[in-house]
Amino acid sequence: MANEVLTISAGSIETGETDVKVTIEGDSEMPFWNHDLKVKAILALLNSIDIKHYYEDNIQDKGFESAKEIINSTRSAFGLDLF
């Protein structure tokens, strides 16, 4: 197991602008791909979300759309969309 630092950015290829940048640091059993470390970070982020805050800001529909997108992306990433 190695301690890894991984930086992931998302944005627009056309404009070159970065919408979000995430740096993850922790132990990984996959030193080249770091997928296990990414999963740990995803779970930590998901566990910090509270839908009631979406309701408080009156954007619960965006919260539910985000949940669907997360579920679809998860199914795709783990090959569960093939079944």
Side-chain angles (χ1 to χ4, degrees):
M1 197 176 297
N3 189 300
E4 301 285 337
V5 176
L6 176 64
T7 301
I8 303 169
S9 297
S12 171
I13 293 174
E14 290 85 26
T15 64
E17 292 183 24
T18 300
D19 295 332
V20 67
K21 180 178 178 180
V22 178
T23 301
I24 305 165
E25 183 175 352
D27 292 330
S28 175
E29 294 180 25
M30 304 174 77
F32 182 76
W33 297 108
N34 302 119
H35 294 315
D36 59 334
L37 187 56
K38 294 174 199 174
V39 169
K40 290 177 191 176
I42 290 165
L43 292 173
L45 287 170
L46 283 173
N47 288 329
S48 72
I49 296 171
D50 190 339
I51 190 65
K52 76 176 182 186
H53 297 137
Y54 280 84
Y55 279 100
E56 290 170 0
D57 291 336
N58 200 30
I59 58 170
Q60 60 273 12
D61 290 345
K62 286 186 179 186
F64 292 123
E65 285 187 32
S66 294
K68 288 179 187 176
E69 189 174 345
I70 290 167
I71 290 166
N72 290 336
S73 294
T74 301
R75 292 177 59 80
S76 179
F78 287 96
L80 300 174
D81 58 340
L82 303 175
F83 305 104

